[in-house]
Amino acid sequence: MVYVCEFEFYPSNGYIDAVPCGDWGEGTFGDDLIDAVESAADWLKETVDDHLMGLGDLPPMVFGHEPTHGGRVIAVAVSRELSDIAAMTAADAARALGVSDARVMQLVEAGLLDSWKDGGRRMVSKASVEARLECANMLQ
């Protein structure tokens, strides 16, 4: 599915801020307009992925916003499906983390791993497993 969000792009402190219009959240920035648009697309992709994994609802897509910071409004679109998210089974996540399947479910329930059901299988995002491994390595 294609998801579209309007962003206002405007200069701020030597960067170009990219603030989503409406109730989409805080936004991002870039070194120049092209970089800011690419950052906005990445931000939108991550926001949509969170929604697809069941981590929150997206605000409605509303168009026709006017700039509020003296910048210009540009619509940014991404095409995302749940199948676009790099994932592994919960059992594979347990092996990667060196923990039991039950511990993976505890981490999922605590919100420390991003997960969803795909038919009868529990899938875990590779990014959340990698983040958990990186966090564990930092603590060593």
Side-chain angles (χ1 to χ4, degrees), residues 5-6 19-25 59-60 62 65:
C5 177
E6 288 185 337
V19 178
C21 301
D23 297 323
W24 283 77
V62 178
H65 291 93

Side-chain angles (χ1 to χ4, degrees), residues 28-139:
T28 185
F29 66 94
D31 292 327
D32 55 32
L33 182 59
I34 291 171
D35 188 43
V37 170
E38 290 171 353
S39 292
D42 287 342
W43 180 93
L44 182 57
K45 178 184 79 74
E46 294 297 325
T47 300
V48 169
D49 285 357
D50 286 348
H51 163 72
L52 292 171
M53 289 185 284
L55 301 176
D57 292 328
L58 292 175
M61 291 185 268
V62 178
F63 304 103
H65 291 93
E66 295 293 329
T68 58
H69 301 284
R72 63 192 212 196
V73 174
I74 299 172
V76 175
V78 296
S79 177
R80 298 300 290 167
E81 302 290 338
L82 194 55
S83 61
D84 294 327
I85 301 170
M88 60 180 70
T89 65
D92 288 339
R95 280 189 288 283
L97 294 168
V99 298
S100 68
D101 291 357
R103 178 65 180 142
V104 165
M105 289 312 300
Q106 289 174 337
L107 294 169
V108 165
E109 289 170 7
L112 299 172
L113 290 174
D114 297 331
S115 169
W116 63 93
K117 292 285 273 181
D118 180 17
R121 295 185 312 168
R122 169 71 53 190
M123 302 304 293
V124 179
S125 79
K126 285 185 180 180
S128 68
V129 171
E130 290 166 359
R132 187 85 185 146
L133 287 168
E134 185 176 317
C135 183
N137 289 335
M138 289 175 52
L139 295 175

Side-chain angles (χ1 to χ4, degrees), residues 12 27 86 136:
S12 176

